[in-house]
Amino acid sequence: NGVEEGCNYWSDIGISEAIEILEKFSDNDWQLLEDKIQTKSEIWLVSCAETLGDNVGGVRALEILIKLLSNESDDVKIAAIDSINSCISLGFDVGENSKQIRDAIEVLRPSAGVVVSKVLNYLEQQLDNL
């Protein structure tokens, strides 16, 4: 069952390795990542979003997560929303991006299952408290 093993590898080891790489990023590396983000596959973007929510990259990571909210894939948007949720919990200020985040929540809400609805509701509460 290769897909399941791949998911386990990513959550168990891959994210930690990706964080180590991101911690060494220069401003130029962050800019390259931001420039190339729209050319990546859905799976890659979900993995990227999951990694960026782990307190790595600061404002640069948050900027990329905000960009991912405009991706066509709901899975990418949900991963970005979840990571933005983490960033806000860690004290990041989303400032002027609040409206864009709320818009993404409203786009996702109609098709959201129970778990995703809870994530969306929690993020909305966090935005209300800013």
Side-chain angles (χ1 to χ4, degrees), residues 46-100:
V46 167
S47 298
C48 179
E50 290 171 348
T51 304
L52 294 176
D54 280 345
N55 196 21
V56 61
V59 174
R60 296 304 298 261
L62 188 57
E63 289 170 357
I64 292 170
L65 290 168
I66 297 297
K67 273 191 163 187
L68 292 177
L69 293 177
S70 62
N71 191 277
E72 295 174 6
S73 165
D74 283 354
D75 289 340
V76 172
K77 288 178 193 166
I78 291 166
I81 287 279
D82 195 32
S83 287
I84 290 168
N85 220 345
S86 295
C87 289
I88 293 171
S89 294
L90 293 168
F92 285 92
D93 180 15
V94 296
E96 70 228 25
N97 297 306
S98 181
K99 181 180 179 346
Q100 190 173 0

Side-chain angles (χ1 to χ4, degrees), residues 6-129:
C7 291
N8 287 337
Y9 175 83
W10 180 250
S11 63
D12 294 344
I13 298 167
I15 288 179
S16 297
E17 291 177 359
I19 288 170
E20 286 179 25
I21 293 168
L22 289 172
E23 287 174 341
K24 298 174 187 166
F25 264 28
S26 67
D27 284 341
N28 188 50
D29 294 328
W30 281 105
Q31 188 60 52
L32 286 170
L33 176 60
E34 191 171 342
D35 292 345
K36 300 287 184 184
I37 205 86
Q38 299 303 326
T39 65
K40 301 298 183 182
S41 71
E42 179 180 358
I43 292 170
W44 193 96
L45 292 172
V46 167
S47 298
C48 179
E50 290 171 348
T51 304
L52 294 176
D54 280 345
N55 196 21
V56 61
V59 174
R60 296 304 298 261
L62 188 57
E63 289 170 357
I64 292 170
L65 290 168
I66 297 297
K67 273 191 163 187
L68 292 177
L69 293 177
S70 62
N71 191 277
E72 295 174 6
S73 165
D74 283 354
D75 289 340
V76 172
K77 288 178 193 166
I78 291 166
I81 287 279
D82 195 32
S83 287
I84 290 168
N85 220 345
S86 295
C87 289
I88 293 171
S89 294
L90 293 168
F92 285 92
D93 180 15
V94 296
E96 70 228 25
N97 297 306
S98 181
K99 181 180 179 346
Q100 190 173 0
I101 296 167
R102 288 180 189 278
D103 290 346
I105 289 170
E106 291 311 310
V107 166
L108 290 169
R109 191 175 303 285
S111 61
V114 174
V115 173
V116 173
S117 289
K118 287 183 180 197
V119 170
L120 296 176
N121 291 340
Y122 182 72
L123 178 55
E124 208 164 41
Q125 288 173 352
Q126 287 200 93
L127 291 170
D128 289 342
N129 293 328

